[in-house]
Amino acid sequence: MGVNQSWTNKSFSVVGVYIVHLTPAALYFRLSLRPKFKDQSTMIQAYNVNMCYKEDIQVLHDVSFQVQKGEFTFLVGESGAGKTTILRLLYRGLVPTNGELVVAGRNLSTLSKSEIPHFRRQIGVVFQDFKLLSNKTVQENVAISMKVMGIRRSEIRNNVNQLLHQMSLVHRRDAYPEEISGGEQQRVAIARAMANNPTILLADEPTGNLDPKLSLEIMRLFENFNFRGTTVLVATHDIALVRQLGRRVIRIQEGQSIEV
């Protein structure tokens, strides 16, 4: 796994910023490896994050990892491993039981309720079930977040047109979600997530219901946005696709993070 051997002994081992088998004697190292939250080159920092939905159901256990600015990273693991929970934590849809999360320079534990909407403007989210509005057309679904932000109509129209062109959806602009294919619905969801030109793009199993050809096309779209500077984190269980793209991988296994 590429672990620096000089940082490994019988008491503990270090994988990225994740510490395994930590003993009291290693507390100094825990503190020395603590993320530097003012580091502008690091876009996502998770430090010893624990998440319990109930007292006896712990989904995440001491999860620690970093994603650098402009990086394209896969978050992999079996169904139920905790990938969706991590994404929800990152856009402040959930609050961890304990641990620290810093996203786009903001320590999420210090965010007030009134600050959350402004924080989320920096993050685009592609949901596993798309969450498209059935009573809105393709172009209306793409435009909705910009309307909420109060962006001028002319700017919304230009942005929507540009995104529909990038997603090859111009001919579907007036169609409703039920009238388009699953692959087209996924592209609408991606266009909506990118509508506000977010700093970070989070995608939850974006190819779960697509065939291999369409799955690769969706990943190429993500790579295109990443090439322009967007930090991309994709949660998936499609290991074959991950290997094909050859990007950095963080594995969630039994609620813990492992760099591979």
Side-chain angles (χ1 to χ4, degrees), residues 79 126-132 180-187 189-190 203-219 222 234-238 241:
S79 297
V126 181
F127 297 98
Q128 186 172 2
D129 56 355
F130 307 150
K131 295 191 184 300
L132 300 179
I180 61 179
S181 69
E184 289 170 331
Q185 289 182 33
Q186 185 62 282
R187 279 182 278 155
I190 294 170
D204 189 6
E205 297 285 1
T207 62
N209 299 315
L210 304 180
D211 62 45
K213 183 177 182 295
L214 286 175
S215 295
L216 186 57
E217 289 179 3
I218 293 299
M219 287 301 130
F222 289 146
V234 177
T236 183
H237 65 270
D238 190 342
L241 184 62

Side-chain angles (χ1 to χ4, degrees), residues 153-177:
R153 289 185 179 181
S154 60
E155 186 175 348
I156 291 175
R157 183 169 58 252
N158 290 337
N159 288 348
V160 169
N161 287 338
Q162 183 177 3
L163 284 164
L164 293 180
H165 178 75
Q166 291 173 1
M167 299 293 167
S168 300
L169 288 169
V170 174
H171 66 298
R172 293 295 205 181
R173 63 185 311 129
D174 294 320
Y176 290 88

